[in-house]
Amino acid sequence: MSEHTRRTVLRTAAATGAGLSLTGAAAGSGAAAAATAGSGAGAAAHGRRPPPPLGPVRAGPDDPRYEHLVSRGQGTRFKGSPDLVYVVGSTRQVVRAVNESVRAGRRLAVRSGGHCFEDFVDHPDIRVVIDMSGMTQVYYDPHRDAFAVEAGATLAEVYRRLHLGWGVTVPAGWCPEVGAGGHVPGGGYGPLCRLYGLAVDYLYAVEVVVVDRRGRARAVVATREADDPNRELWWAHTGGGGGNFGVVTRYWFRDLPSPPATVLSFTAEWSWEGMDREAFARMVRGHGRWAERHSGSGAAEAALYSEFILFRRQLGAHRMAGQVAAGPGTAERLLRGHLEAIGADGGVRPSAVRTRRLPWLTAALEGTGEDGSAFSQKIKSGYARKGLTGRQIEAVHRHLTRADVDVPGGMVSLNTYGGRVNDVAPSATAAAHRDSVLKLTYMASWEKPEQEARHLAWIREFYRDVYADTGGVPAPGPVDDGAFISYPDVDLADPRWNASGVPWSELYYKDGYRRLRRAKARWDPRGVFRHALSVEPV
């Protein structure tokens, strides 16, 4: 294998994973929950003086911390060179950093976990980066009767503190090193979403540092309460994407669910050896039929979440990773049904299946196991209302088996979706894709700069051909339903790759884009927070 070992490609592909269960009554966030919190409830709940916040740190190129700060996060395709990086430890410090940047005329961006797949933070025009890694608290807030999560907390810390302190969780992503700051505004999906919905379905309030028309920064708290004059700012953060309206410093969640005590974690492999085009097609069709039949929130199969990663033939096998959040016996039955459906009608059965029963928190912290930070990546996405069509499957097979290009780090992942996600009205949140059964992730990854051109060409042609019937993109229709803003793809705004007549904004936001534009006009009238796919004001 010329560029990657099998292990590194699996690692890179898995790092895009979302995240799963069956059981768990919803746990409220009231005072009773706080009473059982122990030391994790936060200083405010116990009358202690809170510790002084970290920072503020102002690191320039001569600071020994600068190199780490400008290269922190997922992937190596982009690396910025800002004049300053502010590491902030409080909302007050964020306000100060934004005010200083705006007064100096320096374009700014915000980094939480550092998992943006485009150059929104690392663009050459960005002169100031506000790094949220000093704001990591997770605690019960008695004033708002909700669980507070600061924007710099990783999902690993969110899961650990909420579960150990109160026995609840946010149904968010599978990669534990993702930061809450950028993850939540995209909707926040993961292994538990089929059972419990998206993270934003539990979002009660958000604190955002915004800039007014006079260029002055201030912190605003917006809640979902119907009479809150700032409610539209809350709504904009329930799927409107990060970096659009201000600097999120804190989220509050209510009525969080209790995860199961244990889950069945599994992997399975399907060898390319002996798999011809028709066998491949039967395998993918079987997977799609299972997703169509079991996407309802009332189905027992909502406990099963899987990512079916179809790799280039160069890797030798396809791989599925997932979890079943059900008890012993039931979980094994659900997994068996899932795998049998993929192998139905003469399809290919897995060559290897491995299962482990793990405590839920152990599985959540393990996540996908490793990240792909040593590689450059290009990500594309799509929502699907049905399994792939015959013509789409043929296009997938052709690009995964092409012998004229060397891209071992190429794949598409078919992630099960639906369930409770689809019980929410499209307009209730800015996460408008509420009737899909699959979520697709396309990836190319490479190690050396000179490999970039051919990998980009491959993934662009792959994506275009899968969606050839709708102008090269997953335009909303009977089969497809747009793209996922947390896997941003600037090609969707490029007419060379989007010939559908459907603008990028509709692919990401559907009818909600008009409402997001109005929120943008009110809360960021000067366009301080912008990037290649940022919401444009009315």
Side-chain angles (χ1 to χ4, degrees):
M1 192 172 297
S2 60
E3 296 172 10
H4 296 256
T5 65
R6 176 178 172 75
R7 176 179 175 83
T8 56
V9 175
L10 289 176
R11 177 178 67 196
T12 305
T16 67
L20 315 118
S21 160
L22 177 73
T23 71
S29 59
T36 65
S39 62
H46 293 276
R48 300 193 308 266
R49 182 185 298 276
L54 179 149
V57 170
R58 300 171 80 253
D62 294 332
D63 191 293
R65 296 164 289 191
Y66 178 86
E67 186 63 24
H68 166 74
L69 291 169
V70 298
S71 57
R72 186 175 69 80
Q74 172 83 14
T76 59
R77 185 179 171 202
F78 305 108
K79 181 179 177 181
S81 55
D83 301 326
L84 282 174
V85 179
Y86 290 88
V87 183
V88 292
S90 69
T91 300
R92 180 176 297 180
Q93 291 177 15
V94 175
V95 171
R96 186 183 311 156
V98 173
N99 271 325
E100 289 179 6
S101 302
V102 172
R103 281 198 299 266
R106 288 175 165 150
R107 184 172 166 183
L108 63 87
V110 186
R111 175 174 280 125
S112 175
H115 283 66
C116 183
F117 293 115
E118 292 288 1
D119 66 351
F120 297 172
V121 178
D122 294 314
H123 191 278
D125 290 346
I126 299 296
R127 305 320 314 151
V128 171
V129 171
I130 297 177
D131 189 297
M132 304 300 294
S133 59
M135 295 187 66
T136 60
Q137 293 298 305
V138 179
Y139 58 94
Y140 171 72
D141 181 350
H143 175 66
R144 300 198 183 278
D145 189 22
F147 295 103
V149 174
E150 291 186 335
T154 64
L155 296 185
E157 281 306 295
V158 174
Y159 297 152
R160 180 184 292 111
R161 296 184 192 183
L162 288 178
H163 188 59
L164 296 181
W166 298 271
V168 299
T169 192
V170 177
W174 202 353
C175 182
E177 294 308 310
V178 166
H183 182 69
V184 174
Y189 92 102
L192 290 173
C193 71
R194 283 166 53 82
L195 275 179
Y196 300 136
L198 301 176
V200 294
D201 298 338
Y202 299 86
L203 184 64
Y204 172 71
V206 60
E207 181 180 66
V208 192
V209 174
V210 298
V211 178
D212 64 20
R213 291 188 182 279
R214 291 172 290 183
R216 295 190 301 189
R218 63 188 175 100
V220 175
V221 174
T223 75
R224 68 187 183 200
E225 300 293 348
D227 60 351
D228 186 342
N230 301 329
R231 189 177 190 277
E232 286 300 283
L233 185 61
W234 163 83
W235 186 87
H237 285 86
T238 62
N244 271 315
F245 306 97
V247 182
V248 174
T249 53
R250 201 179 326 268
Y251 302 103
W252 286 268
F253 297 93
R254 280 187 176 178
D255 304 313
L256 291 175
S258 297
T262 63
V263 296
L264 184 71
S265 178
F266 66 88
T267 60
E269 290 191 0
W270 286 257
S271 175
W272 266 111
E273 185 176 353
M275 185 185 295
D276 61 18
R277 180 175 302 180
E278 182 51 39
F280 178 87
R282 287 195 298 267
M283 178 181 71
V284 178
R285 281 199 302 268
H287 180 268
R289 283 195 295 265
W290 187 95
E292 292 173 10
R293 293 169 182 167
H294 301 298
S295 63
S297 60
E301 286 81 3
L304 188 151
Y305 173 84
S306 70
E307 299 182 357
F308 194 13
I309 308 170
L310 306 177
F311 283 111
R312 287 266 298 169
R313 186 185 288 277
Q314 290 165 278
L315 282 181
H318 309 294
R319 180 178 185 262
M320 177 181 284
Q323 295 176 354
V324 192
T330 300
E332 286 78 5
R333 176 180 61 80
L334 294 174
L335 175 58
R336 185 167 57 251
H338 188 46
L339 299 179
E340 288 176 352
I342 295 171
D345 301 327
V348 182
R349 297 185 180 276
S351 56
V353 179
R354 300 175 182 85
T355 62
R356 295 182 298 159
R357 180 155 289 278
L358 298 173
W360 172 79
L361 184 59
T362 301
L365 297 182
E366 181 180 74
T368 55
E370 302 176 79
D371 66 30
S373 58
F375 304 102
S376 295
Q377 302 158 345
K378 175 66 176 178
I379 308 292
K380 293 175 175 287
S381 66
Y383 290 95
R385 289 170 162 149
K386 296 181 179 180
L388 273 65
T389 67
R391 200 207 58 73
Q392 289 178 323
I393 294 172
E394 194 280 328
V396 171
H397 181 271
R398 182 170 67 254
H399 284 280
L400 293 181
T401 58
R402 283 176 58 184
D404 63 326
V405 61
D406 182 27
V407 287
M411 48 73 72
V412 59
S413 182
L414 314 178
N415 301 348
T416 55
Y417 205 61
R420 285 283 299 276
V421 174
N422 293 351
D423 287 350
V424 176
S427 61
T429 65
H433 303 87
R434 297 287 186 167
D435 64 352
S436 297
V437 304
L438 291 171
K439 198 169 195 172
L440 280 67
T441 304
Y442 302 78
M443 172 186 278
S445 60
W446 60 95
E447 292 179 291
K448 301 175 182 178
E450 59 268 25
Q451 299 164 347
E452 178 171 315
R454 74 168 181 270
H455 285 78
L456 289 179
W458 177 83
I459 193 171
R460 285 167 170 162
E461 293 166 7
F462 181 17
Y463 192 76
R464 178 198 62 196
D465 290 351
V466 170
Y467 301 111
D469 292 341
T470 51
V473 299
V479 176
D480 302 300
D481 194 30
F484 179 41
I485 189 57
S486 282
Y487 296 164
D489 174 17
V490 296
D491 293 346
L492 297 184
D494 188 336
R496 293 176 298 174
W497 300 107
N498 180 0
S500 67
V502 179
W504 66 267
S505 53
E506 185 174 336
L507 293 171
Y508 285 128
Y509 301 120
K510 306 179 75 171
D511 292 340
Y513 188 59
R514 289 189 291 272
R515 190 170 170 183
L516 290 171
R517 293 186 69 189
R518 291 193 294 270
K520 178 75 168 181
R522 177 181 176 187
W523 294 106
D524 185 25
R526 295 168 63 98
V528 171
F529 304 97
R530 62 189 189 275
H531 49 70
L533 294 176
S534 56
V535 173
E536 293 291 329
V538 175

